[in-house]
Amino acid sequence: MRFDSLNIPAYGPFTGYSLSFTPSAQDLHVIYGKNEAGKSSLLRAIHHLLYGIPNSTSDDFIHEYKKLRIGATVNNGDERLTFLRRKGNSGTLLDEHQNTIDEGKLKAFCGSVNAEFFTHMFGLSTDNLRAGATNLLSEKGELGALLFSASIGGSPIDAAITKLQIEADQLFAGSGRKANSIVAAYTSVTKHEKDSRSHSLSITEWKKLKRRLETAEKDFASKEKTLTDKRTRKTRVESLISAIPLIQQRKAAATQLAEITIPDLPSDFPERVRASQSSLATAESLISDTRTILKNKKEQLSEIAPFQSVLDDGPVLDWLHQAIAQHLDDIHNIDSAKRSLDKLHQEQLDQLERLNLPDVDTLTSLPETGNVKLASIKKLADSFAAAERAYDQARRDSKNTTRALKNETDKLSNLKDTDLSDELRDLEARVAEQNQNHKLAAEWIKTRDKTTAEIQKLTNQLGLCDLEPEAIPKLAVPAAAVLLDFESIKTQLAEDHRRAQAELDELTTNAVELESEIQAATNENSVVTLSNLHDSRQERDEQWTSLAAKILSKSEIAAEESTTFKMKMLDSDEVADSLREHAETHGQVKTLQNRLHTTHEKQKQTDDKLKRISKTQQEHDERWSKSSSFLADRTFICSELIEWREIWLTWCNHEADIALLNKKIDAHEANENNILDALREAFQNDNASYTALGMRLNETLTEAKSVKGERKAIAAGIESLATQQVNHQDALDIAEANLSKVADEWKICTETLELDDSQEHAAVVTSLELRHAAHTTNREITDSALAHKLILERISSYENKLEKYRDRHLPDSPVIDPAHPDITEKRLAELLSDAKVRKTGHDGIEKDIARLVETLEVKEHAKKSAKVEIQALLTTAQIDTAEQLPELLAQFERRKILQADLNHANSTLTNLAGSLTLDELVHQADSEESDALQVELQSLADDLRSLQDERDTARDTLKGVTSEYEDFSRADDHAANSKQLAANAVAKVVTDSERFIRLQHAIDFLKSQVEEYRKKTQGPMIQRTSEFFTKLTSGSFVGVAAQRDDKDATRINLVAQPHNPDAPNGIGETINTDALSEGTRDQLYLALRLAAIDIHLENHAPMPLILDDICMTFDEERSNAFFEILANLSEKTQVIVFTHHQHIATMAETFVKSEQILRLA
Amino acid sequence: MFTFIHAADIHLDSPMLGLSQHDEAPVETIRGATRTALTRLVDLAIEREVNFILIAGDLYDGDWKDFRTGQVFVNEMRRLKAEQIPAYLIYGNHDAESQVTKDLILPDNVRVFPTNAPATVQHLDLPVSVHGQGFATRHVKDNLAANYPTPVENHFNIGLLHTNVGEREGYGDYAPSSLAQLVAHGYDYWALGHIHLRETLHKHPHVVYSGNTQGRSVRETDEKGCYVVSVNDELKVSGNEFVALDSVRWKNAQIDCSVMDSDHDLLQAIRTELTQSLDTSEGRLLAIRLTLTGHTKLHELFHSAHARLRAECQSIALDLDAEMLWIEDLRLKTQTLIDPAELANQDTLTALVLAALDNFDPTELPLPVQTLLNKLPEDARKALKSSLQPEETLDKESMRNDISAIVLQAIATSGPTQ
């Protein structure tokens, strides 16, 4: 892939910015821009263009985040793609028309180069070159992996291995708090298996338990039997003790029973006697009461008055009562009915007169129209009138359209012809474009003038007014780095000098102080030294030697000699004493003397150093003088020159800007002249100005456009009118046909109804409505006359009936008042109501009498039955009269109580007998003594207590063993369940281990592949790096070599091989990367990266290589070498170099054409 | 005339194998599945009022020492005794080594055949003679059937035998016999045990394996139970009805992934498969192994996201019915859709990996695997044999296939800007 152009509508500092990359055999382009011109932004923009704008971009400081756009045209030899990148999460790739396009289209151009690979291989700045190279050279020593990744298109092999390793580790040991791993599962296996074993029941345990159970069962059975026997005897003794008094009671009751002689009677005999006696008394009382009531009722019946004749006429009297309201209405309405009939007759006479008819018969002979028919005739009359109006309107419209059409056709034929040539259209476009650029050009001129003024100002500032402008950029101004270096060294030397001087001064002061301290110490004490002691002792010894010789030779010794010797001895002793006494002071003095000596030494050294620094300063000043004397008439101090140089660089940049602006302005003016020539030729006017001709062109075009527009509008109007004319003619035809149809219908209608069709439609309709009203009135007269007659007949009939029944039932009442017949009617109604009430009372009493008679009969029967029952009971009891009954009943009750007592005693004794019969018990009780039984009972109770304890103990033992046995027999499943859980854990181990084994194989496999590849690729890679490195360092180094790491044999490091002509193979001792200077290290990094790219390009499609200020630490010679390498590389892929150094841009001119050097404004 | 039940290979208290424990696994349901099967067997005998039952060996698991397991059997036999149903029993190879077998005191309705020689037992009320001999030791290589007594005349003769008829592969040479020999022996019904897959080898005379009563791993799929055999007045078998007794149903389901476009499709297919399988498991816990097959473009993705897929699969199972579904495993047997030659042309790395994989030997174990091997329990080592010592060409090919997919997909998904 290569870039044909970059187009950045909105991104970072760019607005509507574009760059074109002219194709050439050497596809190398240099983009020059000052600091802050946007080079780094441009590199980032290219990255985002290809791989998307990230969410966290900071390039929205001018353009709104959503409006960020970066575009380009790229080609891969066969195809070309123009696209834009917008900000967003998806669908961010757009075509020229801002439509979303598939990301795959661009991906096809990028091939295997993904974003990360592009960053560390193709979009290089010094920082990421160094970072990447550092990784490549030293990070973890995985050179093999990195070479491998580099060669296969950036596949992150390490990441893949790490990813697999993480999964494998997690499988094996788990992650976080989750104990979800092979190790945890295995622990679980062990735990559950142990649990299973500990809960298993062995056969031996089982057998032991069974034996214990049998023993416990036997023991319990024996104890239980003894206890039961004793309990049985105790119960028997207790029974006998209780039975003895009962047996006596039993005998007494039997005797009393024998004394009662009444016959055996049924158990309900007393109840039956009482019931019969009660029934008889009740019956007798009721019979007496009923007879009294019956007598009273009969008396009431005889007192009720007659009522039957009135009730027989009841239906007629009821009718008279119901019809009285209608009768009163009729009397009230008869007069108004007569008046209504008369009014209708009068109305009829009026209508006949208005219709001009002689009599009613003539009216009835005329055809009658109903309401519906009348409405349809009215509608027809309306339709007739509407059809006439529509016909008139259609005729008017048709006439108007025909007139308008003629007017428009005439207008069109009067319009003049105009034409517009392609040439003029082309000129219009060119003029428009040129005019649009005028504003821009004005800005350019303004900027140029401003910059020119600034450049003049800068020339003054620089003090270069005497110099030709062309010479200024060519001045041999030292590089900024050099100046900074000079300044730094100068400052450092001055600082060193200051420090050395300060040190010397301090040392001198120290020496003086030390000397005075020594002096003081020596003065204060008569200081003697070892040498004094030595001297005094030597003098003493010499004196002694002399004395001794004289003593030996027995020579005479002079007294003074002896004294002298004595003095010498005293002196030497004094010195020795003094030494002892002032030993500390001596030590101090000695120390001070030593320090003084050291201080003098240091003074000497510092003095030497000061001299060396001064010499270096002098040399530095000389070098500075040489470097800074590029202007014949001016010298600089370093800081001054740095400032001067900045102004000078600004001057150079301004000059370059002016040149660029001039180029643009010239192009703009040339274009305007070309257009002017074309205009002059088009309008055949050689002297007219650009503005005048432009206006003329504009007018011509406007006029032509106006005429054309008018013609188009009229033609459209004519077309519209023609259509209207056709429509109006159609409407006229329709209205005419409609009118004719309605007229025909109207004619038929008037003929059928015998109407005068010579009248207006409204008059005809009015006449017809009047006829309809007359017919209606006639029908109403007939109906009213009939109603009047019916009322008269109804009044007469009612009055006759009323009189008839008054006379029959109320002969003594007043005759009927014709105005108030209701008085008579009311009397008759009351008469009927009274009769009905009497009838109801009479019927009720009759019913009561019948019921009382029936009751009386029933009671008589009950009385008789009671008497029969009492007689039967007397017979059963074998007595004669009812009076004997109470005594009989008392004896009966006594016998019953005695029998119950006897039964109770027998029942209790039977219970006490237990397994014995009653007789056996009685017999045994008779033979036992009560006291003896009491004694035995006490003894038995004592035995039972101890036996009970023994039995309970045996039972508890059995219960315990049985519980254990049941527990075992319950077939507990704890062991089996633990075994199941262990099996589940094994399954987990197996499942995870299968994956683990595969992952480990995959990891091993990848590692072995990397190592294999390293072995295979390392050679070519190192060879290629060596070639580039040698070239970039201009032969200072002969290449690089791979060396095993001293500490880790698996690590491979790269070392540089310096050129050394004295060495047998020309290679000096290898240098570790860290020991190289910064510049050389950068060149090694670059060599390494270029080698990787070169190897990559052997097997992959080209991808633009972008280098952002890579060579800033390169000197001129190495920069030249750099460009030579890039020129070669650019034959394989497009190379774009960003620089902020003018001299680099200038240097590049040797390698590329001028159009390949672009400026970043 | 009468009915009896033929069952075998109860393997009481033998655990269900291969079910990986997870947090929400329905452990309670699988606990005691073999006990449940025995209880159901006895319930069936009582409910159908059969005249007797036959158990053709392998009541227990050989190395199992918990006496309570024997007690379970005793308790169930007591229930039969209460209904006066006799049980005829021989010991199989697993029972021979079981401590439980030797010391258990069975109720008197259970008749255990001797192990030193064949014996005949006649039914007290029916013209039925049962002949049988149990295993004295775990490895009985003699043809026991050859010495079985001649049939009793006018009786329905049953041979109760634990054997590998026709020496089937994978079942060892336990008391080998041949079908022809059994058919010719003159018995009416051979009630066989040892092979866990039920099969009627011959009819009239009937030679029948009832299979085991409860499947114990994914190798023992589908219904497991016993036969209820009816015999008519002519002493001929008139019916042989299989009745399922299992409470855990094993299934091996294959899912063809060849037409799938995404893992979403796969999860949908898994959901469908599980739903359908649940519908056919008749209310039993379904332990299912899902094996993905087919040439699919998702092959590499499956290998990369195996753990995630397994978790999602488990999640679907929990969603559908946490109590009735247990995913035994999710196996990948898919094949890549990409032609290896085409793949090799795709990029350098793939070409390298593919070329190198041809010579890759999965028997050379990586160091961490060797470390793992030392920690693994014996059962797990056995289960992992095909991964640890892939002897068969098929095993090796399968390993290469898996590792290739893991390697390629790991590389393809490791870059941050893919």
Side-chain angles (χ1 to χ4, degrees), chain A residues 693-724:
Chain A
L693 284 173
M695 283 172 67
R696 172 132 180 235
L697 174 67
N698 203 17
E699 284 164 5
T700 309
L701 289 168
T702 309
E703 189 184 346
K705 280 175 189 168
S706 165
V707 170
K708 193 178 171 187
E710 199 176 348
R711 186 187 295 279
K712 201 173 169 185
I714 293 170
I718 288 170
E719 195 177 340
S720 168
L721 284 169
T723 311
Q724 274 183 31

Side-chain angles (χ1 to χ4, degrees), chain A residues 165 169 172 996 1000 1004, chain B residues 365-374:
Chain A
Q165 191 67 57
D169 289 348
F172 188 71
F996 179 79
Q1000 290 297 355
D1004 253 25
Chain B
L365 297 182
L367 195 59
V369 177
Q370 289 173 24
T371 311
L372 171 74
L373 198 57
N374 295 333

Side-chain angles (χ1 to χ4, degrees), chain A residues 163 203 971 991 995 998, chain B residues 16 35 67 303 310 402 413:
Chain A
K163 183 180 167 180
I203 307 298
T991 308
R995 176 73 176 169
R998 282 160 177 75
Chain B
M16 307 288 103
R35 289 192 186 191
F67 194 72
H303 278 279
R310 199 189 285 269
D402 291 353
T413 57

